[in-house]
Amino acid sequence: MATSRRLARWLPALAAPAAYALHQSYLPASQSSSTCQHSQLDKLITREHVQELESQGFVVIPAAVQQVLGHAALERARRDASSCHFGKSSNRGQTVRDDVVCWISASDDSPGEGLVSCGALLRGAAAALERHGYRGSRHHRVPLLLQLSRFEPGGRGYGRHLDCNFQSAFELGISSWLRAAGSRARVLTAMVYLNDPDWAGRDGGQLRIFHGPQWDGSRWRDHTDVFPAGGTLVIFKSPQVPHQVLPPRKVDRHALTCWIAGKVS
Ligand SMILES: O=C(O)CCC(=O)C(=O)O
Ligand SMILES: [Fe+2]
């Protein structure tokens, strides 16, 4: 009797750390942002970029790969991307999603020199933002695995979504909710496009970022379309910025994505 009363007293105290440990075990392997610093990216990113990200939720830096790593590196990464082995993503949910993906490991050279150098650039984004005073989130963790996605012409793109899944354990069921721990921890999405640098309007495939009403000088718009031109770097706040991918029209569309975890400030 005394034992069961003691157990009843200790059980809640034991359950909380156990639940925390279980939750942590579902987070993707990651490193602190300071271990992923990229000195050339630190020079490209400015205080103005950081202010744009803080105020409007996203920032777009055209030709970032070319400026930091050079044109040849972008071409190497494009070649590497075209020879990856892609499969359907396990994270499909209710949203239309017609891409195929391949996971690129930061601790492995096998995806090719071009992809590895673009991955290192992306993985340096959190440290570069911190260096220039970013305050939107903190305690950044950078994953070891990056997503390479391919959208093919004729598909439906990727419907409007957030990169964080905030559905409750009741809605998802406990095991899917635990598996979504990594997605809930995301605070920043950093992406580079590995396409033709001259990607144009007729090619489709825009990333449509929804930001609420903004005056663009001639009319109110609630979204901005970003062309996935090769080398463009896009960073946005994962929990707050809904976005979608319009279907590409003629050629395959490749993007390398790094989801940075942390705490929203
Ligand atoms: O490729 C893009 O532009 C965005 C892809 C995307 O939204 C995602 O993978 O979650
Ligand atoms: Fe997304």
Side-chain angles (χ1 to χ4, degrees):
M1 194 59 187
T3 319
S4 60
R5 237 184 283 128
R6 230 174 292 143
L7 203 61
R9 196 159 355 111
W10 281 103
L11 217 53
L14 293 175
Y20 179 75
L22 183 64
H23 193 260
Q24 291 297 103
S25 72
Y26 279 89
L27 294 177
S30 64
Q31 292 173 310
S32 70
S33 49
S34 56
T35 23
C36 304
Q37 260 172 356
H38 194 292
S39 55
Q40 293 131 292
L41 184 68
D42 286 355
K43 293 192 196 110
L44 179 76
I45 288 191
T46 62
R47 176 74 200 132
E48 287 67 40
H49 292 134
V50 164
Q51 281 165 348
E52 239 177 275
L53 177 61
E54 282 175 341
S55 61
Q56 65 175 13
F58 70 98
V59 62
V60 179
I61 308 179
V65 174
Q66 296 89 318
Q67 294 182 68
V68 172
L69 304 172
H71 291 264
L74 174 63
E75 289 315 309
R76 274 196 296 273
R78 292 184 61 197
R79 271 198 305 276
D80 295 343
S82 62
S83 52
C84 281
H85 298 290
F86 290 85
K88 289 270 180 211
S89 167
S90 57
N91 169 27
R92 306 193 72 76
Q94 309 279 305
T95 318
V96 164
R97 179 170 184 185
D98 269 350
D99 60 340
V100 283
V101 301
C102 164
W103 292 93
I104 305 295
S105 168
S107 55
D108 177 5
D109 287 345
S110 61
E113 195 195 323
L115 274 180
V116 168
S117 57
C118 286
L121 179 151
L122 270 185
R123 297 186 75 244
L129 294 171
E130 288 163 13
R131 192 184 183 86
H132 294 284
Y134 183 66
R135 298 270 178 275
S137 48
R138 61 212 149 83
H139 303 317
H140 296 127
R141 302 283 311 173
V142 181
L144 292 177
L145 287 180
L146 307 183
Q147 177 191 270
L148 176 66
S149 68
R150 170 189 289 168
F151 289 89
E152 291 163 6
R156 291 166 301 166
Y158 195 156
R160 180 176 167 141
H161 67 281
L162 276 182
D163 282 353
C164 299
N165 183 347
F166 291 122
Q167 285 175 289
S168 69
F170 294 106
E171 289 166 289
L172 286 176
I174 194 73
S175 84
S176 302
W177 181 80
L178 281 169
R179 273 188 274 113
S183 127
R184 280 190 297 278
R186 294 170 180 171
V187 290
L188 289 167
T189 301
M191 289 186 303
V192 285
Y193 293 111
L194 304 179
N195 302 316
D196 185 341
D198 295 324
W199 189 286
R202 64 177 181 277
D203 300 324
Q206 297 90 326
L207 169 67
R208 178 160 289 178
I209 296 178
F210 297 93
H211 44 57
Q214 269 180 18
W215 183 251
D216 74 359
S218 57
R219 62 192 176 117
W220 289 96
R221 294 182 62 83
D222 76 340
H223 65 265
T224 295
D225 283 346
V226 179
F227 288 113
T232 299
L233 169 65
V234 181
I235 307 174
F236 59 83
K237 296 181 181 178
S238 327
Q240 290 153 32
V241 176
H243 54 282
Q244 82 181 80
V245 178
L246 304 187
R249 293 209 190 97
K250 286 196 295 206
V251 287
D252 290 348
R253 173 196 190 275
H254 289 110
L256 187 62
T257 303
C258 175
W259 282 291
I260 298 156
K263 298 254 177 299
V264 173
S265 300

